[in-house]
Amino acid sequence: MPYGTLLAVDDNPAILTALRYCLSSTFENILTLTTPNDILMTMASEEIAMVILDMNFTSGVNSGQEGLFWLNMIRKHHPDIPVVLLTAYGDIQLAVKGLKNGASDFITKPWDNHELVGKLTELMEQKNEMVTLDKMEAEHIRLAIDRSKGNLSIAAKLLGISRQTLYNKMKKL
């Protein structure tokens, strides 16, 4: 059940080779770039399922700003494609900043192959899972009823609807 095309971007060719080897059975195709300058062009010409993006591309620089810049560019042009950040520096503040900027997850080098495959598989499953509006509404109603300990008047108030509307929606469930 490979997941389509992965785009891996890292300035270290050995990292790209390791990713290609590790993820070859998880993705149908793995494209690699050693420079981020061609990310948007590649994403415009290929159907990309996920991006793994290094945080640093300039030798001696490890601030992660380059990765954050390219993360923002990807999010701007392709908001539905998951981006996983990759760095040799396990900086928690940088990870949080990346996640706040729209990264789907964060991986530090060196990684555990089994954990990497599991994490990327989970992200792809989440991406591919489309929840219907009816299902979302039903779950939201159940949550409100749970929070109100079964008191439908309070549940309706939490949902911002009348008690009668809540009754009608519950009949459809």
Side-chain angles (χ1 to χ4, degrees):
M1 67 173 168
Y3 291 109
T5 300
L6 171 75
L7 175 61
V9 188
D10 194 298
D11 58 327
N12 184 338
I15 294 293
L16 296 173
T17 300
L19 286 170
R20 190 179 296 114
Y21 177 77
C22 175
L23 300 172
S24 62
S25 62
T26 306
F27 291 89
E28 291 171 14
N29 189 22
I30 299 175
L31 301 178
T32 59
L33 297 173
T34 55
T35 175
N37 299 335
D38 293 330
I39 290 174
L40 295 179
M41 185 177 69
T42 301
M43 292 182 79
S45 64
E46 300 281 342
E47 190 172 325
I48 303 297
M50 177 181 284
V51 176
I52 294 180
L53 177 66
D54 190 21
M55 294 295 295
N56 299 295
F57 294 94
T58 302
S59 183
V61 176
N62 62 5
S63 67
Q65 293 307 306
E66 292 168 299
L68 291 174
F69 170 82
W70 287 106
L71 169 64
N72 289 329
M73 294 301 288
I74 294 167
R75 303 281 2 113
K76 181 178 177 183
H77 295 279
H78 304 277
D80 296 331
I81 296 177
V83 178
V84 176
L85 300 177
L86 182 64
T87 186
Y89 306 95
D91 184 333
I92 298 302
Q93 289 178 327
L94 183 58
V96 170
K97 193 170 186 179
L99 293 171
K100 285 182 178 179
N101 280 286
S104 299
D105 214 327
F106 192 90
I107 298 168
T108 55
K109 302 175 203 172
W111 61 82
D112 175 277
N113 287 345
H114 183 72
E115 285 179 29
L116 175 65
V117 169
K119 191 176 280 195
L120 298 186
T121 299
E122 184 179 318
L123 286 171
M124 289 306 299
E125 290 296 320
Q126 289 172 359
K127 177 187 175 200
N128 293 337
E129 184 179 293
M130 180 56 87
V131 179
T132 66
L133 287 175
D134 288 340
K135 202 177 212 180
M136 287 175 67
E137 183 179 56
E139 183 57 34
H140 203 65
I141 288 170
R142 281 190 203 96
L143 181 62
I145 292 170
D146 287 348
R147 282 195 181 157
S148 65
K149 297 181 176 29
N151 184 318
L152 298 183
S153 295
I154 293 173
K157 196 176 216 175
L158 285 172
L159 293 166
I161 59 177
S162 71
R163 187 178 165 134
Q164 185 60 49
T165 301
L166 177 57
Y167 281 133
N168 293 339
K169 289 183 179 293
M170 288 174 60
K171 285 180 193 175
K172 294 179 186 176
L173 299 180

